[in-house]
Amino acid sequence: MISVIILGAGNVATHLFKAFNTSKEVSVIQWYNRNLETIKPYNNQVEITDSLETIKDADVYIFAVSDDVISELSSKLPFENKLVVHTSGSVSVYDLDKKHKRGVLYPLQTFSKDANIDFANVPICIETIDKKSYPLLKQVAQSLGSPTRRVNSDQRRVLHLAAVFVNNFTNQLYRVGHEITESEGAEFDMLKPLIMETAKKVQDMSPFKAQTGPAKRNDKKTIKKHLKLLKKQEHKNIYKLLTDSIQTTHGRKKL
Amino acid sequence: MISVIILGAGNVATHLFKAFNTSKEVSVIQWYNRNLETIKPYNNQVEITDSLETIKDADVYIFAVSDDVISELSSKLPFENKLVVHTSGSVSVYDLDKKHKRGVLYPLQTFSKDANIDFANVPICIETIDKKSYPLLKQVAQSLGSPTRRVNSDQRRVLHLAAVFVNNFTNQLYRVGHEITESEGAEFDMLKPLIMETAKKVQDMSPFKAQTGPAKRNDKKTIKKHLKLLKKQEHKNIYKLLTDSIQTTHGRKKL
């Protein structure tokens, strides 16, 4: 049984705790948060603490905290030479204090407080500085039922950056769709099957091949109509820039 | 049994033909295309023609042709006072020749040649000029198993515009994600579960509520890192504009 201590109490920490709790290979033996109130609901399931001095001995320490506090918190741990990993997509593994064996366990997924997460759909990127720690960290990730991939820091950073495009920015396009439809008394609900299908399509087909629509067809008449229809300058700008981007990708002339 | 004639041979025409073919309430009695070769593979299932002069009498004529030819083709039909509808999101119902009873049957979905379509996931927007034609057209749409909605021209246009945002533009963000990851030797495949989850999330939650990430958190450090990491100016521009848009939506200060 691999013993794990979780530090932090955000969405990632909470989802990890719940998932490890159903695992047969990993046991969360303690949960640390500087504010004890947040994790108190779990104190019948796990030992909780807000004091680094009381932190136990464990095989792996998982930091699921804000990027900004990773470095400082890792240097405050009152021991050394143990495997300490963070879960951030963009923070260097070297930000962890060098007195530890260091690594990263980065779950490439969006976590909400409310929505349940099936870790089978959470690819986990693993990075370790010393090679010996890799199999242990891989075992921890696999115990969640997740597919794992060894990545280096550059690959992890780029995956995190790409995730912002396909998740945050895509969601903002959904938001624009919501604004546009509701402003005209149409229903955003009508777009939901299209949103699902657009995501499904690229599961087996490259986004390049999946592209359709007025920008790709260079249908100037429709593009002009659409720009006229948009009321907010912000929406016009997004329309123009992404139409341009599609036309660059597909070798059409620019607007 | 409602008799239908399809005009055109693109993706929408082909998917409609296949779906009507399994319907018990609608029969496709003829399929017209100006180029007979395209529809020849179907000539053991339906009568095909490339001559408007030979077009039969039917309850509904469905135009699944390019936006540009709807007007001209409808005026060339050698009869009048029959229900003639087009399937375009952006063309006015009045573009159809006024000698016909006119309407629109707009399927709000992305159609690929290869991918199979379940019409249960294709909301159909219905518009008719005379009220009497509405129930017939609704019956035709429902025979496909599709949810239907009566919309006016403004609502249809705005749904088509919003569809460009949530489908074409979103797909282009997937494409950028693909470019960025592959350029660094990381795998786009790792992003696929995140793409699905992002689409799933807004099925039950507003895009406003679903938003996460550095732009929403106003995490300037990560935003700066990301902009530095992006090599193409085009990608930097998209990153800035959509970060800005998220911050406007969520009341943060601009970059």
Side-chain angles (χ1 to χ4, degrees), chain B residues 84-100:
Chain B
V84 173
V85 305
H86 72 63
T87 54
S88 164
S90 62
V91 170
S92 166
V93 66
Y94 296 102
D95 273 22
L96 292 163
D97 194 292
K98 67 173 185 293
K99 70 182 176 185
H100 306 296

Side-chain angles (χ1 to χ4, degrees), chain B residues 59-124:
Chain B
D59 296 319
V60 190
Y61 297 80
I62 300 178
F63 280 36
V65 295
S66 304
D67 289 0
D68 289 341
V69 303
I70 289 172
S71 172
E72 196 192 337
L73 189 61
S74 76
S75 67
K76 279 189 183 158
L77 287 180
F79 52 77
E80 56 190 47
N81 216 25
K82 306 287 297 181
L83 182 56
V84 173
V85 305
H86 72 63
T87 54
S88 164
S90 62
V91 170
S92 166
V93 66
Y94 296 102
D95 273 22
L96 292 163
D97 194 292
K98 67 173 185 293
K99 70 182 176 185
H100 306 296
K101 289 181 194 157
R102 294 170 283 176
V104 181
L105 184 150
Y106 169 48
L108 189 40
Q109 190 48 280
T110 173
F111 293 89
S112 310
K113 205 131 233 163
D114 309 326
N116 277 326
I117 283 282
D118 177 0
F119 272 82
N121 297 323
V122 182
I124 293 187

Side-chain angles (χ1 to χ4, degrees), chain A residues 90 110 112 121 149 155 160 168 171-172 185 187 192-193 201 203 207 211-212 225-226 234 245 249, chain B residues 90 109-110 112 121 149 155 160 168 171-172 185 187 192-193 201 203 207 211-212 225-226 234 245 249:
Chain A
S90 62
T110 172
S112 310
N121 296 322
R149 204 70 100 243
Q155 290 168 333
H160 182 255
N168 306 148
N171 186 73
Q172 183 64 8
E187 293 169 63
K192 289 179 178 176
K201 231 174 164 181
Q203 304 296 309
Q211 192 58 278
T212 59
K225 274 190 203 172
H226 281 170
E234 177 201 343
S245 176
T249 297
Chain B
S90 62
Q109 190 48 280
T110 173
S112 310
N121 297 323
R149 204 70 99 242
Q155 289 168 333
H160 181 255
N168 306 149
N171 186 74
Q172 183 64 7
E187 293 168 64
K192 288 179 176 176
K201 231 175 164 181
Q203 304 296 309
Q211 193 58 278
T212 60
K225 274 190 205 172
H226 280 171
E234 177 201 343
S245 176
T249 298

Side-chain angles (χ1 to χ4, degrees), chain A residues 109-110 112 163 165-174 188-189 191-203, chain B residues 166-167 170-171 174 191-207 210:
Chain A
Q109 191 47 282
T110 172
S112 310
F165 278 85
V166 305
N167 172 22
N168 306 148
F169 293 168
T170 287
N171 186 73
Q172 183 64 8
L173 294 181
Y174 300 160
F188 177 69
D189 277 5
L191 296 167
K192 289 179 178 176
L194 178 61
I195 286 172
M196 282 309 295
E197 188 63 26
T198 305
K200 262 190 213 155
K201 231 174 164 181
V202 296
Q203 304 296 309
Chain B
V166 305
N167 172 21
T170 287
N171 186 74
Y174 300 160
L191 296 167
K192 288 179 176 176
L194 178 61
I195 286 173
M196 281 309 294
E197 189 63 27
T198 305
K200 262 190 213 154
K201 231 175 164 181
V202 295
Q203 304 296 309
D204 321 299
M205 195 189 274
S206 75

Side-chain angles (χ1 to χ4, degrees), chain A residues 44-102:
Chain A
N44 57 345
Q45 294 173 60
V46 65
E47 188 185 317
I48 60 172
T49 181
D50 60 358
S51 154
L52 291 173
E53 294 309 315
T54 66
I55 280 214
K56 290 184 163 175
D57 187 57
D59 297 317
V60 190
Y61 298 80
I62 300 178
F63 281 36
V65 296
S66 305
D67 289 0
D68 289 341
V69 303
I70 289 171
S71 172
E72 196 192 336
L73 188 62
S74 76
S75 67
K76 279 187 182 160
L77 288 179
F79 51 77
E80 55 190 45
N81 216 24
K82 305 289 296 183
L83 182 56
V84 173
V85 304
H86 73 64
T87 54
S88 164
S90 62
V91 170
S92 166
V93 65
Y94 297 101
D95 273 22
L96 293 162
D97 194 291
K98 67 174 186 290
K99 69 183 176 184
H100 305 296
K101 290 182 195 156
R102 294 170 283 177

Side-chain angles (χ1 to χ4, degrees), chain A residues 107-155:
Chain A
L108 189 41
Q109 191 47 282
T110 172
F111 293 88
S112 310
K113 205 130 233 163
D114 310 325
N116 276 327
I117 284 281
D118 177 359
F119 272 81
N121 296 322
V122 182
I124 292 186
C125 305
I126 300 174
E127 188 177 346
T128 56
I129 293 180
D130 68 306
K131 281 186 184 164
K132 281 182 191 158
S133 300
Y134 177 72
L136 176 60
L137 202 51
K138 185 174 174 180
Q139 216 182 324
V140 168
Q142 284 180 334
S143 82
L144 298 164
S146 297
T148 67
R149 204 70 100 243
R150 184 172 206 157
V151 299
N152 62 35
S153 296
D154 289 342
Q155 290 168 333

